[in-house]
């Protein structure tokens, strides 16, 4: 016999602990979550039906060996079965006093309903006589027998469920009844025979009468269910590794369907929807567990059990409280009452809503069951995200789904719920909002920078093309606009002003509802709720704890002079209202203000175009002089909203053609005029200018600092506007801290050329205004060469900010939109890439380049401020990496600031002192 131990009875938890070194997480890995908890409940005196667990190691060995039990496993199972017989006083397979068993899966992480279970193992034509004699209930006995044959046939033998269900339905129809419970003992006896015939018909052999063969085959079925498609799909969706395996829990059957003094139920030790400290659940008398789940009968609220069985109810409350205190967590329990005796069949950490997760974590900390740090660690960042975005009322959405109103699905690019009338271009959307007060959903094939006005006006955005980091997605997340992109089933006809999808036609002006959380779009209006951070008192308290954890002085062990405190969280904000929202949400600065967004506003765009088309520096300066007051006003509001905190303003970055009319549309207009023998000289001239600006690869062309070198007047105007605004705000009694960011630096000489000119202008403005304040000039690290020469650049730049979207593009050699549209999804699905590098920092490549940049930069300037302002700044995994390499801050959308605060604290706790 093998010396390796594959099987543990529920009384052998100490032996399992010794096997894995007294590490409870490893015990769970060995016995599975269900098996570990059954053994633990047994240890602390909770009434658990006797049984044993076959380990996850045995499952993996079975699968690796081509579905063969490892040596010694079956023999150990039989030994554990003997111990179970001794404990129960029953004998497996005995005709007079039979022991009946269940065989259930039990993965390390809960995967409800994904793997297999077989009940009533041990019943056959002989043992059923003993069951009838012992219980005096023939109907109960044959009900259990037919359930075994049906479950064994479906789970173990793979016979389609429909074969049994159809036979059952036909039998009930013939008897003139609607429910299984209306069938008599004789009916169930005949039905059991019919089920056996189905097994013979499908498999060519009889249903196995040997109880040991039933147990062996059931064990194999549970092992094999680890690799069924639904389990694999669930693990992929939940991020559960595929190499964990499942345990098999073999437990003595206890029955809740033995009369009115028996019953079964499921419950949570606190309300899983609201977090209220009150037992929550349902039960049924004279029923088995599957009856509660299947809804065959109307279950009762758990509190009514006090009326039916007061002593059992009191015992149940005591056990529930004991389990919650023992595990220091809300428990989801299953129980059965057999003839007045309470048995606990399972306990596990309870799944809960986002609201309940926060409430429960805060309450448990206040009750002294867990620490504040533990409370912070128990709330997932995604749960915070869910809490702060408008959501559809679940029941209303379900009704819409049942009514067939869903017409499109796509990428859930920006979470939240939005309802409004459909409009197909940005200007119309903006007009409908501003002039008519409509709620608008902007629908486009894809969005461009000049669609921003419509996006900002809209309640939601829906596109037929694009991915999670497309323009629409990025802007929508920045401004907290619910957005679904890449809904490829939609065919948009801009001429007819309508879309069609899955047989549904939506015309301009029709109402639709967009769910950016799930990536769905529905015809009509669905009721929604819109929470605010101020309403979330428990969340505010939790985030306050998180901030203190992240800011602790002992969080990081970094080189002398580097920041030892944890990450701060800043926000990306282009307008004063965004900055105010960011501050309300807890941002400690503005990490990115994109000045080009301001240029797209309707009254400014013609001036910007005049500036671009100017043929002389004098003409360009004249146009810029018109823009200066607008830019100054923009920055004034930002500095006032963020008084006392840093505000990083990025100088103009995109190529100038983005501010011009579309070349193809202009060309079509010119050709159409010529066909009509009409010539529009203005359009012809404009087309010539746009064509002259054409670049083969504009994202690598004349933009960023290169544009500042070629046309220094533009950034000169911007710096003047920044410092005039800061001076005005200072004179009004506020405390501005401007930081000017020069984008796309690739060579230190670019900074040597432009930065001194800008610093000179800044000093001049302060002298003119008669005021002094702190400021910095720095650069955006987006080009790999800048990172590799960071020590040279840091001699001039006073801060670095990683633009990780472009840095990822340049490092991988990917065009972001093209990659997401053409191959990135396939790369992730096929395992070529572990995840989309535009959503989570690629630590091995882009991440290493960031690490090198930080080290080289601080070798030249030890107090160099370094942060991140790309989309990755709101991603928890990326935030953890930023913590590890010693960044000062991450900057993200205002709506993701609370998420980032939590993620920063969790990173600090996870890597304290590293």
């Amino acid at each position: 016999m093998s010396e390796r131990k594959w099987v543990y009875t529920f009384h052998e938890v100490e032996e399992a602990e010794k096997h894995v070194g007294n590490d409870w997480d490893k015990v769970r890995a060995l016995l599975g979550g269900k098996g570990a908890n059954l053994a633990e409940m047994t240890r602390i005196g909770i009434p658990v039906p006797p049984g044993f667990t076959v380990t996850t190691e045995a499952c993996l060995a079975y699968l690796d060996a081509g579905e063969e039990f490892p040596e010694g496993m079956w023999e150990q199972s039989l030994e554990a079965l003997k111990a179970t017989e001794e404990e129960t006083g029953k004998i497996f397979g005995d005709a007079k006093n039979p022991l009946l068993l269940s065989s259930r899966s039990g993965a390390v992480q809960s995967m409800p309903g994904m793997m297999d279970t077989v009940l009533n193992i041990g019943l056959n034509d002989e043992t059923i006589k003993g069951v009838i004699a012992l219980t005096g209930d023939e109907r109960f006995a044959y009900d259990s027998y037919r359930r075994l044959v049906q479950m064994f046939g479906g789970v173990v033998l793979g016979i389609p469920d429909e074969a049994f269900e159809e036979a059952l339905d036909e039998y009930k129809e013939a008897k003139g009844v609607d429910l299984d419970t209306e069938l008599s003992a004789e009916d169930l006896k005949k039905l059991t025979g019919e089920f056996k015939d189905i097994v013979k018909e499908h498999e060519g052999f009889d249903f196995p009468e040997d109880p040991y063969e039933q147990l062996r085959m059931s064990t194999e079925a549970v092992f094999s269910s680890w690799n069924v498609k639904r389990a694999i799909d669930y693990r992929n969706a939940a991020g559960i590794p595929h190499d964990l395996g499942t345990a098999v829990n073999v437990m003595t059957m206890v029955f809740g369907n033995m009369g009115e003094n028996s019953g079964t139920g499921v419950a949570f030790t606190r309300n899983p929807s609201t977090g209220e400290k009150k037992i929550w659940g349902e039960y049924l008398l004279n029923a088995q567990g599957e009856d509660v789940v299947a809804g065959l009968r109307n279950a009762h609220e758990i509190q009514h059990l006090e009326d039916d069985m007061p002593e059992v109810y009191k015992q149940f409350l005591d056990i529930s409280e004991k389990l919650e205190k023992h595990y220091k967590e809300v428990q989801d329990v299953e129980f059965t009452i057999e003839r007045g005796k309470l048995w606990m069949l399972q306990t596990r950490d309870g799944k809960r809503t986002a609201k309940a997760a926060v409430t429960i974590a805060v309450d448990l900390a206040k009750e002294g069951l867990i620490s504040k740090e533990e409370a912070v660690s128990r709330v997932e960042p995604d749960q915070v995200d869910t809490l702060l975005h408008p959501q559809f009322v679940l029941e209303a959405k379900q009704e819409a789904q049942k009514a067939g109103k869903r017409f499109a699905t796509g990428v859930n690019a920006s979470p939240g719920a939005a309802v409004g009338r459909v409009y197909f271009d940005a200007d119309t959307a903006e007009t409908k909002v501003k002039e008519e007060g409509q709620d608008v959903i902007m629908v486009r094939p894809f969005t461009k920078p000049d669609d921003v006005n419509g996006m900002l006006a809209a309640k939601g955005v829906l596109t037929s093309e694009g991915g999670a980091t497309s323009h629409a997605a990025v802007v929508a997340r920045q401004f907290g606009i619910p957005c679904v992109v890449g809904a490829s089933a939609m065919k948009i006809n801009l001429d007819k002003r309508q879309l069609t999808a899955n047989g549904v036609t939506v015309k301009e002006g029709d109402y639709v509802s967009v769910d950016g959380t799930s990536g769905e779009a529905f015809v009509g209006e669905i009721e929604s709720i819109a929470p605010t951070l101020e309403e979330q008192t428990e969340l505010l308290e939790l985030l306050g704890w998180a901030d203190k954890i992240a800011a602790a002085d002992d969080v990081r062990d970094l080189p002398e002079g580097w920041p030892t405190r944890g990450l701060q969280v800043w926000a990306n904000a282009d307008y004063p209202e965004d900055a105010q929202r960011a501050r309300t949400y807890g941002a400690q600065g503005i990490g990115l203000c994109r000045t080009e967004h301001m240029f797209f506003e309707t009254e400014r765009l013609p001036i910007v175009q005049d500036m671009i088309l100017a043929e002389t520096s004098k003409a360009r300066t004249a146009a810029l002089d018109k823009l200066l007051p607008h830019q100054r006003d923009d920055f004034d509001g930002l500095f006032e909203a963020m008084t006392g905190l840093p505000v990083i303003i990025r100088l103009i970055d995109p190529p100038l053609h983005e501010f011009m009319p579309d070349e193809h549309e202009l060309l079509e207009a010119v050709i159409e005029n010529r066909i009509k023998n009409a010539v529009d000289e203005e359009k012809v001239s404009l087309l010539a200018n746009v064509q002259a600006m054409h670049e083969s690869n504009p994202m690598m062309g004349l933009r960023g600092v290169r544009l500042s070198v070629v046309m220094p007047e533009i950034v000169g105007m911007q710096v003047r506007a920044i410092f005039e605004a800061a001076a005005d705000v200072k004179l009004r009694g506020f405390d501005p801290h401007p930081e000017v960011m020069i984008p796309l630096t690739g060579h230190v000489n670019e900074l040597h050329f432009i930065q001194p000119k800008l610093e000179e202008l800044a000093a001049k403005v302060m002298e003119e205004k008669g005021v002094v304040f702190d400021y910095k000039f720095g650069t955006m690290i987006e080009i790999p060469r800048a990172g590799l020469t960071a020590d040279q650049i840091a001699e001039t730049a006073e801060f670095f900010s990683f633009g990780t979207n472009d840095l990822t593009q340049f490092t991988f050699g990917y065009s972001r939109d093209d990659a997401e549209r053409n191959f990135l999804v396939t790369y992730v699905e096929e395992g070529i890439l572990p995840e989309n590098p535009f959503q989570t920092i690629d630590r091995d490549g882009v991440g290493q380049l960031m690490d090198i940049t930080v080290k080289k930069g601080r070798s030249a300037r030890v107090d160099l401020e370094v942060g991140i302002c790309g989309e990755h700044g709101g991603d928890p995994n990326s935030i953890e990496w930023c913590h590890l390499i010693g960044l000062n801050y991450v900057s993200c959308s205002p709506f993701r600031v609370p998420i980032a605060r939590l993620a920063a604290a969790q990173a600090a706790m996870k890597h304290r002192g590293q």
Side-chain angles (χ1 to χ4, degrees):
M1 181 174 289
S2 169
E3 294 182 0
R4 187 166 186 178
K5 190 166 178 63
W6 303 106
V7 180
Y8 294 83
T9 71
F10 295 163
H11 292 283
E12 294 181 317
V13 65
E14 289 89 353
E15 192 170 342
E17 287 176 329
K18 291 177 183 176
H19 176 70
V20 296
N22 292 312
D23 184 326
W24 184 248
D25 288 337
K26 291 181 179 178
V27 172
R28 286 177 54 82
L30 178 69
L31 301 180
K34 184 178 294 183
N37 287 337
L38 287 169
E40 184 66 8
M41 283 197 292
T42 301
R43 173 161 61 179
I44 64 175
I46 303 293
V48 173
F52 57 90
T53 298
V54 187
T55 66
T56 58
E57 292 177 349
C59 173
L60 296 174
Y62 170 84
L63 297 174
D64 289 344
E67 300 195 341
E68 293 286 340
F69 285 156
E71 181 184 355
M73 189 212 88
W74 182 242
E75 290 77 8
Q76 291 179 27
S77 296
L78 296 179
E79 289 178 9
L81 180 55
K82 291 281 187 187
T84 303
E85 289 176 333
E86 292 174 6
E87 191 172 354
T88 60
K90 299 178 180 180
I91 300 173
F92 190 57
D94 186 71
K96 293 183 179 180
N97 188 24
L99 172 66
L100 302 183
L101 303 171
S102 64
S103 176
R104 304 172 189 263
S105 63
V108 181
Q109 298 183 43
S110 177
M111 297 170 54
M114 292 301 106
M115 293 177 295
D116 289 335
T117 294
V118 183
L119 305 179
N120 307 328
I121 297 168
L123 275 174
N124 59 23
D125 291 344
E126 292 301 315
T127 57
I128 195 168
K129 298 174 184 176
V131 173
I132 294 171
L134 289 170
T135 64
D137 190 340
E138 185 179 15
R139 189 196 180 281
F140 153 73
Y142 276 104
D143 187 36
S144 301
Y145 198 3
R146 69 93 183 171
R147 290 175 191 258
L148 167 64
V149 180
Q150 180 176 359
M151 194 173 288
F152 193 95
V155 168
V156 179
L157 302 178
I159 299 171
D161 293 337
E162 292 79 7
F164 298 103
E165 293 295 338
E166 288 172 6
L168 177 60
D169 290 341
E170 288 173 5
Y171 197 95
K172 287 191 293 186
E173 185 177 353
K175 299 295 291 186
V177 300
D178 296 322
L179 301 177
D180 301 358
T181 52
E182 297 176 279
L183 296 174
S184 68
E186 187 61 28
D187 293 331
L188 292 167
K189 183 176 182 179
K190 290 178 180 178
L191 194 59
T192 302
E194 289 190 23
F195 281 5
K196 287 184 176 183
D197 291 340
I198 291 171
V199 171
K200 181 68 176 287
E201 179 184 343
H202 279 79
E203 300 300 313
F205 56 78
D206 292 328
F207 171 79
E209 292 278 325
D210 182 355
Y212 289 92
E213 185 66 6
Q214 294 175 13
L215 179 60
R216 184 187 65 79
M217 294 177 70
S218 298
T219 301
E220 289 182 326
V222 174
F223 278 165
S224 298
S225 69
W226 177 255
N227 282 334
V228 298
K229 184 179 185 301
R230 66 176 182 272
I232 293 172
D233 290 344
Y234 184 94
R235 292 198 295 273
N236 285 335
I240 298 173
H242 296 292
D243 59 354
L244 302 177
T246 180
V248 178
N249 299 291
V250 178
M251 184 191 296
T252 301
M253 284 294 302
V254 288
F255 297 94
N257 56 339
M258 297 185 74
E260 292 302 311
N261 63 349
S262 302
T264 188
V266 295
F268 290 77
T269 55
R270 302 189 188 212
N271 189 307
S273 295
T274 65
E276 181 186 5
K277 189 179 180 181
K278 180 181 180 183
I279 201 80
W280 184 94
E282 296 178 319
Y283 76 101
L284 281 171
L285 296 181
N286 195 20
Q288 285 196 304
E290 61 194 86
D291 298 331
V292 177
V293 176
L296 297 176
R297 293 157 55 190
N298 291 327
H300 310 297
E301 289 185 8
I302 192 69
Q303 284 77 14
H304 293 307
L305 184 60
E306 184 175 17
D307 300 324
D308 292 327
M309 298 182 185
E311 291 184 7
V312 171
Y313 182 67
K314 182 179 184 306
Q315 183 188 10
F316 177 73
L317 290 182
D318 291 343
I319 288 173
S320 297
E321 184 178 1
K322 183 175 183 178
L323 287 172
E324 184 173 280
K325 288 183 176 178
H326 181 77
Y327 286 103
K328 300 181 179 181
E329 178 60 288
V330 172
Q331 294 299 290
D332 169 8
V333 300
E334 297 179 14
F335 65 93
T336 286
I337 306 160
E338 184 181 81
R339 292 180 169 175
K341 180 171 176 55
L342 177 65
W343 296 97
M344 303 304 293
L345 306 185
Q346 175 172 290
T347 191
R348 60 188 174 192
D349 293 348
K351 305 289 185 185
R352 66 209 71 176
T353 65
K355 173 176 173 49
V358 173
T359 299
I360 290 167
V362 171
D363 285 351
L364 290 177
K366 289 182 174 179
E367 292 166 22
L369 279 179
I370 61 175
S371 67
K372 291 179 179 179
E373 288 198 355
E374 179 66 21
V376 168
S377 72
R378 286 191 180 181
V379 177
E380 296 294 329
D382 284 348
Q383 292 174 316
V384 177
D385 195 18
T386 299
L387 275 176
L388 295 177
H389 283 83
Q391 302 295 323
F392 288 126
V393 174
L394 181 59
E395 293 79 7
K397 182 179 173 181
Q398 289 173 338
E399 286 298 319
Q401 289 172 325
K402 289 178 182 177
K405 293 185 177 182
R406 186 175 68 184
F407 66 88
T409 60
V411 177
N412 49 339
S414 181
V419 178
R421 295 179 184 269
V422 166
Y423 292 99
F424 292 97
D425 68 87
D427 292 339
T428 303
E430 184 181 36
T431 299
K432 292 293 182 181
V433 172
K434 290 185 175 180
E435 296 183 6
E436 300 180 25
Q438 290 188 15
D439 289 340
V440 165
I441 304 295
M442 193 176 83
V443 178
R444 299 284 294 161
F446 55 89
T447 65
K448 299 180 294 184
D450 53 5
D451 289 321
V452 167
N453 62 314
M455 295 182 70
L456 294 178
K459 293 291 184 182
V461 175
L462 177 62
T463 74
S464 58
E465 301 177 30
T469 55
S470 62
H471 176 268
V474 171
V475 173
R477 283 193 293 271
Q478 162 71 17
F479 294 102
I481 305 165
C483 177
V484 176
V485 299
S488 56
M490 292 196 311
K491 306 302 177 188
I492 300 174
N493 189 321
L494 295 177
D495 293 330
K496 292 185 177 180
R497 315 297 284 181
Q498 67 181 36
L499 69 84
T500 57
N502 297 313
V504 174
T505 298
V506 177
K507 298 181 179 180
E508 191 159 70
D510 289 349
Y511 275 103
V512 299
S513 299
V514 173
D515 192 335
T517 304
S518 63
E520 298 171 291
F522 300 82
V523 174
E525 301 173 79
I526 299 177
E527 182 184 358
S528 64
I529 52 175
T532 65
L533 184 62
E534 292 82 354
E535 297 170 350
Q536 310 287 339
T537 54
E538 292 98 343
L539 178 57
L540 285 170
E541 190 164 12
L542 187 82
L543 291 175
W545 298 346
D547 291 340
K548 291 178 180 178
I549 292 167
D553 288 327
D554 62 346
V555 165
R556 294 189 283 194
D557 182 17
L558 297 172
E560 186 176 349
W562 284 35
T564 56
R565 296 163 72 84
L567 282 175
Q568 289 190 345
V569 177
W570 299 9
N572 302 340
D574 300 339
Y575 299 97
E577 56 267 31
D578 300 319
Q580 188 57 57
R581 180 184 295 112
R583 188 158 195 162
T584 300
Y585 281 13
Q588 296 171 283
I590 298 299
L592 176 63
C593 170
R594 288 168 282 210
T595 54
E596 61 270 9
H597 280 177
M598 304 164 183
F599 288 177
F600 283 108
E601 294 189 8
T602 306
E603 68 274 17
R604 305 182 191 187
L605 191 57
I607 305 173
V608 174
Q609 292 173 349
D610 286 345
M611 179 271 294
I612 293 170
L613 295 173
E615 297 181 359
T616 65
S617 177
K618 182 178 179 181
R620 185 174 299 116
T621 300
L624 289 168
D625 287 344
K626 296 179 183 178
L627 282 175
L628 176 62
H630 294 295
Q631 286 266 275
R632 184 173 56 232
D633 290 345
D634 294 329
F635 301 142
D636 185 291
L638 276 174
F639 291 137
E640 183 173 318
M642 298 304 291
T643 181
L645 297 175
V647 176
I648 295 180
I649 298 173
R650 183 180 70 185
L651 301 179
I652 188 167
D653 182 43
L656 293 180
H657 80 272
E658 290 195 6
F659 302 100
M660 301 301 290
D662 182 79
E663 178 181 348
H664 297 292
E665 292 177 2
L666 275 175
L667 181 60
E668 287 177 3
V670 169
I671 292 173
E672 189 174 324
N673 283 335
R674 286 180 177 172
I675 291 173
K676 297 176 181 178
N677 292 320
V679 178
D680 186 331
E681 294 295 345
E682 184 177 344
K683 284 190 176 178
V684 171
S685 175
L686 185 57
L687 175 62
N689 279 291
V690 170
Q691 288 175 330
M693 296 168 61
H694 175 78
E695 293 181 295
S696 298
N697 193 339
M699 294 308 293
M700 299 179 73
L702 183 60
R703 54 171 288 220
V705 69
R706 303 159 195 165
L707 186 60
S708 302
V709 170
V710 174
M711 299 181 183
E713 304 95 335
I714 300 175
V715 292
M717 178 276 293
Q718 290 190 307
V719 169
R720 173 169 282 280
I722 291 168
F723 280 81
E724 285 184 356
D728 291 344
V729 167
K730 179 78 171 180
L731 291 170
R732 295 203 303 272
F734 296 98
D735 183 18
H737 291 268
E739 299 188 14
V740 180
M741 183 158 65
I742 300 169
L744 211 71
T745 298
H747 196 291
V748 68
N749 286 343
E750 292 170 316
L751 292 184
H752 289 165
F753 178 87
I754 195 65
Q755 187 168 318
K757 295 181 174 64
L758 300 179
E759 289 175 334
E760 182 180 344
L761 179 57
K764 182 180 179 181
V765 171
M766 287 192 289
E767 183 179 353
E768 291 171 355
K769 292 283 188 176
V771 67
V772 176
F773 46 83
D774 294 331
Y775 65 90
K776 291 180 181 178
F777 277 85
T779 191
M780 204 166 180
I781 304 294
E782 303 162 272
I783 297 174
R785 189 185 188 281
L788 296 174
T789 59
D791 49 344
Q792 300 174 28
I793 292 175
E795 292 178 355
T796 300
E798 297 174 277
F799 68 87
F800 288 171
S801 179
F802 288 107
T804 48
N805 295 335
D806 275 349
L807 186 61
T808 299
Q809 288 196 99
F810 287 127
T811 303
F812 271 93
Y814 291 167
S815 164
R816 181 179 68 195
D817 289 343
D818 292 332
E820 289 203 317
R821 182 170 61 247
N822 294 324
F823 63 85
L824 262 188
V825 172
T826 301
Y827 268 40
V828 173
E829 287 178 348
E830 296 297 331
I832 297 170
L833 291 176
E835 52 218 339
N836 185 335
F838 293 107
Q839 295 177 347
T840 297
I841 287 173
D842 160 48
R843 295 191 184 189
D844 292 340
V846 177
Q848 292 304 312
L849 188 56
M850 293 170 66
D851 191 23
I852 291 168
T853 302
V854 174
K855 289 173 180 173
K856 290 179 76 73
R858 289 194 176 133
S859 71
R861 188 187 295 269
V862 72
D863 60 347
L864 182 72
E865 172 191 292
V866 188
I868 176 177
C869 62
E871 281 287 294
H872 298 93
D875 170 62
N877 184 288
S878 302
I879 290 170
E880 180 185 25
W881 181 247
C882 294
H883 171 92
L884 288 172
I885 63 174
L887 267 58
N888 297 80
Y889 68 87
V890 296
S891 187
C892 57
S893 158
F895 293 95
R896 291 195 70 83
V897 166
I899 300 157
R901 290 166 65 188
L902 183 64
Q906 291 177 346
M909 289 187 289
K910 182 178 179 180
H911 302 285
R912 192 181 300 281
Q914 296 181 19

